[in-house]
Amino acid sequence: MVLILGPLLLSALGVWVMAQTLWIGVSLILVALITAIVCLRFILPCHYILTSDQLLVRCGLTTLSLSYKGIRKIGPTHNFLWAPALSKRRLEIDSSEGYLLISPKNRQKFMAELSQRMHPRRSTSAKQDNMEESATA
């Protein structure tokens, strides 16, 4: 929110000051544009990649990696603290490295896929159990 409001308020101030002093107003607008570009560079792109052995989180200039083995718990949250998440509908990941907040587009599908990768034997054995039950019926 602050990353958006800061440049907008600075631009509005620049337009207002431009009526008094042209070069100060233009300078404020340029500073607002540069600030907006820098802020966006620290936010975009924001995406999450599930590899064979880890979760990669890319947000702006930073890339974080969490091993599936280190993830203890994952669940929905509405925590508004700063995180590599562009939405308030977030997932909180509790890992051996600490907490991480992310906001995938489809939370339920992402949680299911992540759980499957965290516990590949469970999903395989559950499928085998279902196949055995249908074979005996």
Side-chain angles (χ1 to χ4, degrees):
M1 187 74 150
V2 173
L3 296 176
I4 296 169
L5 286 179
L8 285 176
L9 291 175
L10 200 54
S11 295
L13 181 65
V15 170
W16 182 72
V17 169
M18 213 174 347
Q20 320 308 316
T21 310
L22 181 65
W23 69 273
I24 293 176
V26 171
S27 298
L28 285 174
I29 292 172
L30 286 175
V31 168
L33 287 173
I34 292 169
T35 304
I37 290 169
V38 169
C39 289
L40 287 175
R41 188 61 192 130
F42 282 103
I43 296 172
L44 301 174
C46 186
H47 58 272
Y48 318 102
I49 302 168
L50 297 170
T51 66
S52 60
D53 60 341
Q54 64 185 353
L55 166 64
L56 296 176
V57 179
R58 170 89 194 273
C59 188
L61 301 173
T62 60
T63 301
L64 305 170
S65 63
L66 289 175
S67 171
Y68 296 139
K69 294 177 183 176
I71 298 175
R72 293 186 285 248
K73 185 176 86 169
I74 181 169
T77 184
H78 293 283
N79 192 331
F80 61 88
L81 294 175
W82 185 91
L86 299 178
S87 168
K88 286 186 181 180
R89 295 183 41 139
R90 298 174 173 189
L91 293 176
E92 181 176 16
I93 299 175
D94 178 14
S95 75
S96 57
E97 299 174 26
Y99 289 95
L100 178 65
L101 301 174
I102 61 172
S103 62
K105 288 180 183 176
N106 187 337
R107 289 192 309 177
Q108 296 302 323
K109 183 178 176 184
F110 187 87
M111 282 177 49
E113 182 70 27
L114 182 58
S115 294
Q116 183 179 14
R117 290 174 188 247
M118 287 168 51
H119 311 289
R121 291 184 184 151
R122 283 187 192 172
S123 60
T124 305
S125 63
K127 286 179 186 175
Q128 288 174 350
D129 290 342
N130 288 338
M131 291 174 76
E132 289 173 9
E133 287 177 13
S134 63
T136 58

